[in-house]
Amino acid sequence: MSEDSVPADAPARRRMTGVVAVCALASAVALWASGRTWATWDGPGPSTLPGGAASLTGAGTLPWLPATALVALAGAGALVAVPGLLRRVVGGVLVLIGVGFVAGPTTAVTEGAGPLWPVVVAACGAVVTACGVLAIREAGRWPGLGARYARDDGPAGAGTPTGDTRPGDSRGGAGDAAAWRALDRGEDPTV
């Protein structure tokens, strides 16, 4: 592929795709780590195992962790689907979730949980935070979803109503109603 055939927004699209993929991966790993055993001890506990040993998962230690990991995963997808300002809002939510992923497991480690899974979640939190910051910073440069399918409404100020409207819909014009009637008769209004 020659350099001339690469669209102008290809670098921005690649950056967005990378951020979305990394954010989704970090969120999925945090969700997976929330189901792992974070602490075990002998004696009675919330989930006593045979032999008197008890264990506690990440979700048992931090009940909000699985839900926020799912929100972060959805946020990664939303970065693709929403335009500029809303993309910045999603980026801000991802920053907050990432900070929570870092702070929550840090508290769990100081309360006696094993070090591996809380550290994994904290690392995922740092990644989600970085992705959120990049989304806030780059939102205006990233292409929108389906931009190549956007309708060109002609010259500015033409005042031509657009959209899929049915007869009687206040948004459409007389031409739209005639086109729908032609379709109802089985005719192709585009010829």
Side-chain angles (χ1 to χ4, degrees):
M1 179 179 259
S2 72
E3 198 171 309
D4 294 336
S5 63
V6 175
D9 66 344
R13 185 175 306 280
R14 279 193 299 270
R15 281 192 304 274
M16 180 181 75
T17 302
V19 167
V20 168
V22 168
C23 185
L25 179 64
S27 302
V29 169
L31 179 62
W32 181 73
S34 73
R36 307 291 65 115
T37 300
W38 284 24
T40 58
W41 63 92
D42 288 330
S47 59
T48 303
L49 298 173
S55 67
L56 193 59
T57 64
T61 306
L62 303 169
W64 51 267
L65 183 58
T68 53
L70 285 172
V71 171
L73 193 57
L79 287 176
V80 175
V82 297
L85 179 61
L86 290 175
R87 192 173 281 157
R88 285 186 171 93
V89 170
V90 171
V93 169
L94 289 173
V95 168
L96 293 174
I97 290 172
V99 168
F101 283 179
V102 172
T106 304
T107 305
V109 168
T110 60
E111 293 175 357
L116 176 62
W117 296 116
V119 169
V120 168
V121 171
C124 290
V127 171
V128 170
T129 300
C131 290
V133 168
L134 284 170
I136 292 169
R137 193 181 79 193
E138 300 278 328
R141 297 184 198 121
W142 287 350
L145 178 66
R148 70 180 113 177
Y149 301 111
R151 183 184 346 229
D152 182 16
D153 291 334
T160 307
T162 60
D164 294 335
T165 56
R166 291 283 182 181
D169 189 343
S170 62
R171 295 176 298 156
D176 289 337
W180 281 110
R181 282 192 292 274
L183 281 173
D184 288 341
R185 289 189 304 269
E187 299 170 5
D188 184 0
T190 62
V191 287

